[in-house]
């Protein structure tokens, strides 16, 4: 039987940065972070960076229109320099580079949809929470064909304080190839804001399981919510 996943899609192309400001200097110390595009208008751009543990955002305020290929609420890979002291509006920054990453939603999945979630392990490099998103950094085998990839939440665990989710990854034809680095931002909206209007339980954390080729002993993480 063919398994259907609404959020499973081909992996986006490898990160390709594009410069926003023309006054770059070779020796400017540049910070690189995954940030959320908060707003963008004629006065500039505001990004939200979520330092650990990922609860409270820090506003990064640029005077230029940046991340023009992204929509508010999406995450990007941002290179920036701080240009002043933090104020009431946030930290003033100059944007040096912006790169799109894969933005998608987690999916509530049935037992059948979860079957085969560990068919093709990934090389996990990092996983953390940024507000209501889970950010994944990993190495995947390069392939021009679409693949199945997503964060699937086991529907049988939704009544628990710590539901369980799985990083699902599978290619139809898993031919060997070189690996590339990818970032993905998984929105937890389906878990935290149910579409049926019912109030979500008071979740304390999310348990995430991954078939981790980089370190098989590190196959389960509990992320506080």
């Amino acid at each position: 039987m063919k398994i259907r996943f609404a959020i499973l899609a081909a992996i986006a192309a490898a990160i390709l940065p594009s410069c926003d400001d023309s006054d770059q200097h070779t020796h400017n110390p540049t910070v690189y972070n995954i940030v959320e595009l908060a707003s963008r208008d004629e006065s500039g751009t505001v990004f939200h960076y979520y330092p650990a543990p990922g609860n409270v955002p820090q506003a990064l305020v640029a005077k230029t229109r940046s991340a023009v290929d992204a929509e508010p609420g999406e995450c990007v890979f941002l290179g920036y320099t701080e240009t002043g002291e933090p104020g009431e509006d946030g930290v003033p920054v100059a944007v040096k580079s912006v790169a799109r990453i894969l933005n998608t939603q987690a999916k509530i999945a049935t037992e059948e949809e979860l079957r085969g979630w560990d068919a093709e392990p990934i090389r996990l490099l990092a996983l953390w929470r940024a507000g209501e998103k889970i950010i994944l950094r990993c190495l995947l085998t390069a392939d021009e064909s679409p693949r199945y990839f997503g964060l699937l939440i086991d529907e049988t665990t939704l009544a628990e304080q710590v539901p369980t989710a799985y990083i699902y990854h599978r290619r139809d034809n898993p031919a060997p190839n070189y690996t590339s680095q990818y970032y993905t931002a998984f929105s937890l909206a389906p878990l935290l804001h149910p579409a049926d209007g019912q109030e979500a339980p008071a979740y304390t954390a999310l348990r995430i399981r991954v078939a981790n080729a980089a370190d098989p002993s590190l196959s389960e993480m509990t992320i506080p919510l």
Side-chain angles (χ1 to χ4, degrees):
M1 180 180 297
K2 185 176 181 181
I3 300 174
R4 295 176 298 162
F5 295 119
I7 68 169
L8 300 186
I11 299 299
I15 291 174
L16 296 174
S18 58
C19 299
D20 270 18
D21 292 342
S22 59
D23 59 343
Q24 296 188 72
H25 190 280
T26 304
H27 302 294
N28 281 348
T30 303
V31 181
Y32 295 94
N33 278 316
I34 299 294
V35 300
E36 184 179 68
L37 174 60
S39 64
R40 179 184 56 231
D41 57 28
E42 62 278 358
S43 65
T45 310
V46 178
F47 301 94
H48 282 166
Y49 166 60
Y50 288 86
N55 296 318
V56 182
Q58 179 186 67
L60 307 176
V61 184
K63 293 182 179 180
T64 56
R65 281 180 58 85
S66 306
V68 295
D69 293 329
E71 296 296 327
E74 292 185 336
C75 289
V76 297
F77 187 66
L78 186 71
Y80 60 93
T81 60
E82 297 184 5
T83 58
E85 295 297 322
E88 292 184 0
D89 296 331
V91 180
V93 299
V95 173
K96 298 303 178 183
S97 64
V98 180
R100 299 206 63 180
I101 68 171
L102 179 62
N103 284 266
T104 188
Q105 283 197 341
K107 182 183 184 297
I108 309 301
T110 65
E111 181 180 0
E112 180 183 355
E113 290 172 324
L114 288 170
R115 193 172 296 126
W117 68 272
D118 55 352
E120 187 173 355
I122 68 173
R123 298 186 66 85
L124 179 67
L125 300 178
L127 188 149
W128 69 95
R129 180 169 70 90
E132 294 190 352
K133 294 182 173 68
I134 295 294
I135 311 298
L136 173 69
R137 178 188 174 210
C138 67
L139 293 176
L140 298 176
T141 303
D143 196 326
E144 294 183 358
S145 301
R147 70 182 79 201
Y148 298 98
F149 181 69
L151 179 65
L152 306 186
I153 303 171
D154 184 353
E155 67 174 7
T156 67
T157 65
L158 292 180
E160 302 173 10
Q161 283 191 318
V162 183
T164 300
Y166 298 80
I167 301 294
Y168 187 108
H169 179 234
R170 177 174 65 82
R171 290 181 295 157
D172 289 332
N173 298 296
N177 204 348
Y178 66 90
T179 59
S180 292
Q181 179 175 234
Y182 298 92
Y183 285 90
T184 304
F186 295 107
S187 169
L188 297 179
L191 176 69
L192 303 178
H193 308 288
D196 57 13
Q198 295 183 1
E199 184 175 350
Y203 296 122
T204 59
L206 179 65
R207 182 182 300 109
I208 300 177
R209 291 175 177 163
V210 55
N212 184 8
D215 184 357
S217 66
L218 185 60
S219 60
E220 181 176 303
M221 289 136 283
T222 300
I223 309 296
L225 296 177

